[in-house]
Amino acid sequence: MSGLQFFSKTVDLIKFKSVSRPQTYLKVNARFSWRIQFDAKRDGRRYYHDESFGFRRREETILPDYTPSQLENRRVNAPLMRYVDSMRTHGHRAARIDPLDLLQREEVAALDPSRYGLTDESKSYPIDGIIWSNPAGPNRTSSEEWSLKQIVAHLRSIYVGRIAYEFMHSPSKTERLWFSHVLESAPSVAPANAQSNAEKKRIWELLVKSEVFDQFLQLKFPNLKRYGLEGGESMLPALDALFAVSSAAGVEHVILGMPHRGRLNLLTDLLKFDPAALFHKIKGGSEIPEELGYSGDVISHLVSNPTLSYGNPPASLKVSLLPNPSHLEAIDPVALGKTRAKQFSLIKDADPNCKLGDKVMCVQIHGDASFTGQGVVMESLGLSNLPHFTSGGSVHLVVNNNIGYTTPAASARSSLYCSDIGKMINAPVLHVNGDYPEDVARALETAFKYRNAFRKDIVVDLLVYRRWGHNELDEPAFTQPQMYHLIRSRKSVPSLYEDKIMHEEVITSEDASNLRSSYKQHLEEHLAQSASFTPKLELPEGQWKDMVLPVLDEAIRDPDTGVKSDTARDIGMKSVEVPSSFELHPRLRRHISARQKALESGRGIDWATAEAIAFGTLMKEGFNVRISGQDVGRGTFSQRHAMLVDQNTESVTVPLNANIPSGGKLELANSSLSEVAVLGFEYGMSWESPMLLPIWEAQFGDFFNGAQVIFDTFIASAETKWAKQSGLVILLPHGLDGAGPEHSSMRIERMLQLTNDPYEFPSDAKGVEGSNVINMHVVYPTTPAQYFHLLRRQMKRNYRRPLIVAGPKALLRLPAAASSLSDFEPGTRFSPVLDDPSFMKDRGSEASKAKDPQRVSRVILLTGKLYYDLEKERAARKLEESVALIRVEELAPFPFRALEDVLSRYLGSGEVKETLWVQEEARNQGAWTHVKDRIQQVLDRVVGTVPGSEQASPRLRYVGRKEDAVPAVGVGKAYREQQADILRRAFEGL
């Protein structure tokens, strides 16, 4: 019995009791069996949810199976077949891929034909179905017979040469066959004219320019850490070959992520970066106009976005080199996300001819030590074939120096090759010797052909060396004396290749001399121009043309985000509307009924409904929405249910997409259990278009710390370093509720510490708080309406900035935390400070019940869900007329003026004896350290402006948990005692 038959038979044996509706068992079982058989033929995984928007499965490339005659030949000549497969499997272990020959290469026993009984070199064998002398296609069969000597020579020239291949680990027979066809049907030994003279000159020019550039910088700026490419110059022709072959195949845009090594060479020699701008930066100038107030970044993080030209007739190829922080691999998921987003229109339009990767390709350059050592690599690779994250396959180029900083490979990884991490997704690997640039170019061409055929990732391990240490001021011989004795006694890669093509009479010695002198003169001219160079910031273009820089006066910071009640009600209803034939889970019927009743009455709107209305109204206005994370379709707390699954068929509907005619779409991207890669991916999505509202939701707020590098190096700092805008929204469920240390806190204190929120009360007359300079917003909303307005504000502004939301858990279904449709109406917007409703005069028909703020003796300032506990405790103590509860909903930028306006209603009479900041987080956590000095400034101003008042400015007092090493205790009794103590002390003495 085959594995597939066994799998289907197992499904047939499911017990009736495991099915909730026995009468539909046969129908359900039949569908499941069909799906499993269909998908098992693809990759052995069971798929569902394939109807939801954005879910894109890779199209499979299938090669024909062996013909009966080929199978018979494989049986009769089984020893030969075993030998050939051993060459394919183990040839890389003997290949000459290390330019320094420091790898312990040895003749592998499995490569000896005599081990398989093959000893007569003159004996001929039919090769059909064993060795592929013809390319894959209709004429893939062969009637040829080769001698054993021919077979051995042919296979060794392919598998034990300067390019080594690892593909036999793939579980896909088609992929293994594809590689065998491609490699073995090529000429057994690449002739000298495998590349044209023009191609050889192109390779030579790139190599020489890289060498001259590094030598020029060393001469002019000897104390500069430039992280040059000397020893690894083959990286440039590798990328050039990749760009050329991809452009010929129709790719129009390459998204490129890379670390610092060789970045300046690539920028100036291939990506058209102005050398004058580089020299201006090296001499201490800014790459961004200084009047904008941005900090900029170091030279090894500079970027370029040129349009290159390849082919005849020439075709344009846009290359976008993304900015990268010094966390070397952090750019990987960001590049993936931007690549996916660039193809969003293809997904959205559902073009049946669209294949992800046709027009856009992601290329990632890595260092050997970081590729094998940093977890973000594994998490990013894990996204590569997921239906909501795939972008059509990435080409990974590992520039392998066989050393990380000063650490040898033996101490840097546990695997044989640094590229072995790629095998977790069965990615094929090509190892190539960087001393031979033509082989390098061929390896990259083969890599692209695989990527284009299968739309999957592939790794090219480019083995090179570092002529200098980690940087040019380092002495590597301290720790690597033998390696650097070899390096310093050998010719450079450009010189070796120059000698080769001079011997082939492709160039002359005069050509060589002229290129070096002319390029050096070119650099000299730009060095002189750098003295008067003035940086210019590229104006937003394309999808960003209507956006402005957030620091400019034209920025609209507080737009009207309200919508008509009828519109909100209609969208809310449609967000849970399903076809009559759709079989809902019984518990969801109650969920939908409750939502409908609230919408009909206009009261009791919960968080999920408010979110759905925000999504739906934005979609009607042409915006797209994407929310990703674990279980986002239903929501971690089973609150969202924006994706509904038919209980009979497991087909999926997303009501907002199905029921609302709009230009926008909602993508619910249930993700892998990753933080750093998924957050980085969504951040990359946010860079592509301001018309997309990208949201990442952590299962619990505490889990963000697995993605701290993305927060630190991208979200918090990208605008000030690179002038890059992002509208990413990050939902981090927060709140102490007895769930213990890792399910309670999104570490508000860390987020606030990452902001550049001004400490001083704003002096500008416009009172824009810190919105014009803040790097990201940090909010803790307490009502669904506030959350609704935040989401809409994020898109209605004419600029983009990240938004960090301390999201609800306990408030998701709390009746007291619900909103009314009137809170969504035109003219309403997000309020950074919420006054106490009991003391507000504008309460409509309840205005007569508003209490007098001048009789308040204690003001409690707070943020978040604790408000509802304090409100309940205040009522129990009958202190509604003497205690005011004021919520600070936006913690950064701190709302100085809004808080001043609210506090002035209470502090003018002199009755207020005390002002408290109350929080449930520990004193060394939460918002306390961020707000205390800022609130005190507001208190001083309010009291100081009361005419004739001699009242002393009230000092702000802290009430909350004491300092702690954890966000929350794990003992339920202790949690309840601590929470009760906070409530007691908040009202103590009244």
Side-chain angles (χ1 to χ4, degrees):
M1 181 183 293
S2 71
L4 176 59
Q5 291 170 331
F6 176 79
F7 201 19
S8 299
K9 188 67 175 176
T10 302
V11 174
D12 291 334
L13 294 176
I14 295 176
K15 301 297 184 181
F16 274 52
K17 66 181 180 180
S18 69
V19 182
S20 59
R21 301 186 65 185
Q23 65 270 29
T24 65
Y25 169 69
L26 293 177
K27 175 183 176 183
V28 173
N29 188 50
R31 184 180 179 98
F32 281 7
S33 296
W34 177 85
R35 280 176 176 265
I36 291 171
Q37 289 182 34
F38 177 80
D39 291 320
K41 291 178 182 178
R42 299 167 64 89
D43 56 13
R45 292 183 293 172
R46 173 172 169 264
Y47 286 93
Y48 62 107
H49 292 177
D50 53 353
E51 295 90 348
S52 65
F53 171 73
F55 189 107
R56 295 297 292 267
R57 240 181 289 174
R58 271 187 310 101
E59 293 186 19
E60 292 287 332
T61 298
I62 304 296
L63 293 183
D65 198 0
Y66 299 99
T67 66
S69 63
Q70 288 172 340
L71 288 172
E72 177 64 12
N73 188 36
R74 289 168 65 85
R75 184 188 68 78
V76 171
N77 291 294
L80 178 63
M81 181 192 70
R82 291 177 57 212
Y83 168 66
V84 172
D85 275 351
S86 288
M87 289 294 296
R88 293 166 179 160
T89 304
H90 303 293
H92 65 90
R93 294 168 55 196
R96 302 183 301 279
I97 55 176
D98 180 10
L100 299 180
D101 202 25
L102 290 174
L103 291 181
Q104 294 183 357
R105 302 279 91 179
E106 57 186 23
E107 188 59 35
V108 180
L111 306 184
D112 182 357
S114 65
R115 291 178 67 89
Y116 308 95
L118 306 172
T119 56
D120 185 352
E121 288 189 338
S122 62
K123 182 176 180 180
S124 294
Y125 296 86
I127 63 170
D128 194 28
I130 299 177
I131 298 172
W132 303 103
S133 60
N134 295 325
N139 300 318
R140 63 192 179 91
T141 59
S142 172
S143 59
E144 297 179 63
E145 291 194 5
W146 291 4
S147 69
L148 178 61
K149 183 177 181 179
Q150 285 178 289
I151 291 171
V152 171
H154 181 68
L155 294 179
R156 291 189 69 86
S157 71
I158 295 167
Y159 296 112
V160 194
R162 296 188 292 257
I163 306 176
Y165 303 92
E166 291 187 89
F167 60 88
M168 293 295 283
H169 58 274
S170 172
S172 167
K173 180 185 68 177
T174 287
E175 293 183 29
R176 298 193 302 272
L177 284 173
W178 183 91
F179 266 106
S180 300
H181 276 290
V182 167
L183 301 177
E184 294 165 18
S185 63
S188 60
V189 178
N193 62 352
Q195 273 106 347
S196 68
N197 284 352
E199 290 171 326
K200 292 181 179 182
K201 283 185 177 180
R202 172 71 173 175
I203 291 172
W204 166 68
E205 287 174 358
L206 288 170
L207 295 174
V208 169
K209 285 182 178 180
S210 179
E211 185 172 55
V212 171
F213 174 77
D214 276 326
Q215 292 171 349
F216 184 85
L217 288 185
Q218 185 66 29
L219 177 66
K220 302 295 183 180
F221 306 99
N223 295 319
L224 176 68
K225 295 179 181 179
R226 53 186 164 82
Y227 305 103
L229 198 53
E230 291 152 297
E233 290 93 345
S234 288
M235 183 188 84
L236 295 183
L239 290 172
D240 192 53
L242 178 60
F243 293 164
V245 69
S246 60
S247 178
V251 172
E252 297 175 355
H253 205 133
V254 169
I255 306 299
L256 177 60
M258 72 173 296
H260 54 279
R261 178 74 55 199
R263 191 181 186 102
L264 302 184
N265 307 67
L266 176 62
L267 281 167
T268 54
D269 299 337
L270 188 56
L271 299 188
K272 299 182 177 180
F273 190 81
D274 185 355
L278 174 62
F279 298 142
H280 169 79
K281 176 68 177 176
I282 291 174
K283 292 191 289 186
S286 173
E287 69 274 32
I288 304 172
E290 295 180 11
E291 62 270 17
L292 295 176
Y294 291 134
S295 67
D297 204 352
V298 297
I299 62 167
S300 53
H301 298 165
L302 294 173
V303 300
S304 183
N305 301 282
T307 297
L308 306 180
S309 181
Y310 287 94
N312 188 20
S316 295
L317 181 71
K318 179 79 171 180
V319 179
S320 295
L321 174 61
L322 303 185
N324 186 45
S326 291
H327 281 268
L328 304 178
E329 301 292 344
I331 193 62
D332 298 354
V334 179
L336 289 173
K338 185 169 173 63
T339 305
R340 168 85 177 200
K342 193 164 281 295
Q343 302 176 85
F344 192 90
S345 60
L346 299 177
I347 303 171
K348 186 177 173 183
D349 296 339
D351 180 355
N353 298 316
C354 157
K355 290 175 64 179
L356 290 178
D358 277 353
K359 301 297 183 183
V360 188
M361 178 173 67
C362 183
V363 177
Q364 298 175 40
I365 305 176
H366 314 272
D368 52 310
S370 61
F371 191 61
T372 194
Q374 296 189 5
V376 64
V377 176
M378 182 277 290
E379 292 191 27
S380 299
L381 289 171
L383 298 179
S384 61
N385 295 323
L386 299 184
H388 283 286
F389 296 86
T390 182
S391 57
S394 298
V395 176
H396 300 267
L397 177 61
V398 183
V399 181
N400 184 352
N401 299 303
N402 252 310
I403 187 173
Y405 205 83
T406 64
T407 302
S411 299
R413 61 177 183 263
S414 298
S415 57
L416 175 61
Y417 298 119
C418 65
S419 54
D420 285 344
I421 184 68
K423 293 179 182 177
M424 66 166 276
I425 58 168
N426 301 309
V429 180
L430 280 62
H431 308 275
V432 58
N433 190 324
D435 262 4
Y436 300 90
E438 292 176 20
D439 293 291
V440 172
R442 279 196 291 272
L444 268 296
E445 290 167 1
T446 302
F448 175 78
K449 290 175 183 176
Y450 168 86
R451 178 264 179 195
N452 227 34
F454 297 98
R455 301 302 161 95
K456 295 171 69 176
D457 289 29
I458 184 169
V459 181
V460 177
D461 178 20
L462 174 60
L463 285 94
V464 294
Y465 57 88
R466 256 180 4 214
R467 182 160 290 277
W468 306 105
H470 177 68
N471 60 69
E472 289 70 25
L473 308 183
D474 188 28
E475 175 48 77
F478 288 155
T479 53
Q480 312 295 333
Q482 293 184 4
M483 172 183 278
Y484 276 87
H485 174 73
L486 287 171
I487 290 172
R488 288 165 178 171
S489 61
R490 73 194 317 270
K491 276 190 172 185
S492 69
V493 174
S495 296
L496 288 171
Y497 189 69
E498 189 170 86
D499 291 346
K500 174 183 181 294
I501 63 172
M502 285 176 63
H503 178 73
E504 295 172 0
E505 299 184 350
V506 176
I507 63 168
T508 66
S509 59
E510 185 179 2
D511 294 330
S513 177
N514 287 342
L515 177 61
R516 280 182 160 77
S517 60
S518 63
Y519 193 59
K520 183 177 179 182
Q521 181 60 34
H522 168 78
L523 295 175
E524 289 280 8
E525 291 170 359
H526 282 81
L527 180 59
Q529 295 169 13
S530 67
S532 57
F533 179 83
T534 302
K536 296 179 181 178
L537 187 66
E538 293 183 10
L539 295 176
E541 57 183 13
Q543 298 181 85
W544 288 87
K545 62 182 173 57
D546 295 326
M547 296 289 109
V548 303
L549 291 175
V551 297
L552 300 180
D553 290 340
E554 301 94 298
I556 300 172
R557 299 181 175 89
D558 194 21
D560 183 352
T561 51
V563 297
K564 293 180 179 179
S565 293
D566 289 344
T567 300
R569 182 181 288 108
D570 179 60
I571 289 175
M573 289 291 191
K574 288 181 176 177
S575 71
V576 289
E577 182 181 299
V578 296
S580 58
S581 60
F582 196 91
E583 187 66 28
L584 280 169
H585 192 284
R587 288 174 60 183
L588 284 182
R589 295 193 189 101
R590 296 195 297 271
H591 166 84
I592 289 173
S593 176
R595 183 179 293 194
Q596 290 170 334
K597 288 178 181 177
L599 288 164
E600 288 168 357
S601 68
R603 295 187 300 275
I605 307 298
D606 64 12
W607 291 80
T609 306
E611 181 184 73
I613 296 171
F615 289 170
T617 53
L618 288 171
M619 290 162 62
K620 284 180 72 72
E621 295 171 34
F623 296 103
N624 301 298
V625 181
R626 174 183 160 102
I627 178 169
S628 78
Q630 278 282 294
D631 307 310
V632 294
R634 60 161 238 171
T636 294
F637 307 101
S638 197
Q639 85 284 1
R640 179 171 290 119
H641 297 295
M643 171 191 289
L644 301 172
V645 181
D646 189 293
Q647 297 300 292
N648 286 340
T649 66
E650 283 201 350
S651 63
V652 167
T653 185
V654 177
L656 282 173
N657 285 333
N659 302 326
I660 299 176
S662 64
K665 285 290 188 180
L666 169 62
E667 182 173 10
L668 297 160
N670 289 325
S671 77
S672 66
L673 189 54
S674 158
E675 284 83 41
V676 62
V678 174
L679 179 58
F681 189 98
E682 301 309 320
Y683 186 80
M685 294 276 294
S686 75
W687 269 358
E688 177 59 25
S689 172
M691 296 301 291
L692 173 68
L693 174 62
I695 302 172
W696 178 64
E697 181 177 60
Q699 264 194 327
F700 288 88
D702 314 56
F703 294 0
F704 85 90
N705 51 21
Q708 189 68 58
V709 169
I710 303 297
F711 280 97
D712 293 346
T713 60
F714 287 100
I715 295 168
S717 57
E719 184 185 340
T720 192
K721 288 191 296 190
W722 309 317
K724 297 282 287 185
Q725 297 186 44
S726 166
L728 180 64
V729 176
I730 300 165
L731 302 180
L732 304 175
H734 175 81
L736 277 66
D737 50 17
E742 274 78 55
H743 292 80
S744 299
S745 175
M746 52 79 73
R747 295 288 191 177
I748 292 175
E749 67 279 2
R750 291 189 192 169
M751 299 300 169
L752 293 173
Q753 191 178 39
L754 286 174
T755 70
N756 58 346
D757 196 10
Y759 277 89
E760 304 299 327
F761 199 100
S763 58
D764 58 291
K766 295 179 181 178
V768 294
E769 311 292 0
S771 295
N772 58 331
V773 297
I774 192 76
N775 58 333
M776 61 187 192
H777 291 259
V778 181
V779 299
Y780 195 173
T782 55
T783 72
Q786 288 278 81
Y787 176 49
F788 164 86
H789 287 297
L790 282 167
L791 292 176
R792 285 187 52 80
R793 184 183 77 173
Q794 194 72 353
M795 303 308 288
K796 298 295 286 184
R797 288 171 164 174
N798 59 350
Y799 63 92
R800 297 290 178 260
R801 274 211 171 116
L803 173 65
I804 314 295
V805 181
K809 294 189 297 179
L811 303 187
L812 287 169
R813 297 177 181 84
L814 184 69
S819 296
S820 300
L821 281 182
S822 59
D823 300 324
F824 298 66
E825 291 180 343
T828 59
R829 48 176 48 85
F830 173 74
S831 299
V833 177
L834 287 181
D835 199 351
D836 192 323
S838 300
F839 298 93
M840 294 174 64
K841 296 179 180 179
D842 55 343
R843 303 183 71 214
S845 61
E846 299 182 15
S848 60
K849 299 179 182 179
K851 298 174 177 60
D852 183 2
Q854 298 298 304
R855 298 181 60 184
V856 168
S857 60
R858 179 172 293 178
V859 171
I860 293 179
L861 298 170
L862 68 141
T863 189
K865 79 172 186 70
L866 188 61
Y867 167 77
Y868 296 100
D869 294 334
L870 289 167
E871 187 181 44
K872 185 177 179 180
E873 183 71 14
R874 180 179 65 174
R877 293 172 177 261
K878 302 187 185 309
L879 296 173
E880 294 97 327
E881 296 191 2
S882 59
V883 178
L885 304 175
I886 299 172
R887 286 166 277 177
V888 180
E889 301 269 293
E890 186 162 46
L891 294 162
F894 188 78
F896 285 100
R897 294 189 184 278
L899 185 59
E900 180 184 30
D901 292 342
V902 172
L903 287 180
S904 63
R905 301 183 59 234
Y906 300 95
L907 299 182
S909 66
E911 292 295 321
V912 175
K913 301 297 189 294
E914 214 171 14
T915 304
L916 308 183
W917 174 263
V918 182
Q919 67 178 37
E920 59 181 359
E921 298 86 3
R923 185 167 186 151
N924 58 318
Q925 301 166 27
W928 168 243
T929 55
H930 184 82
V931 303
K932 61 179 181 178
D933 293 336
R934 293 173 171 87
I935 292 175
Q936 191 62 56
Q937 290 181 61
V938 176
L939 292 174
D940 293 344
R941 280 178 62 92
V942 170
V943 173
T945 58
V946 176
S949 173
E950 297 181 0
Q951 177 186 0
S953 177
R955 305 309 297 174
L956 185 65
R957 183 164 68 88
Y958 169 83
V959 173
R961 284 173 169 80
K962 66 178 182 178
E963 299 79 4
D964 208 338
V966 294
V969 296
V971 179
K973 179 181 177 182
Y975 162 76
R976 291 188 293 272
E977 290 175 350
Q978 290 176 359
Q979 199 76 355
D981 182 62
I982 292 172
L983 299 178
R984 177 187 60 79
R985 288 189 289 127
F987 299 101
E988 193 173 40
L990 295 174

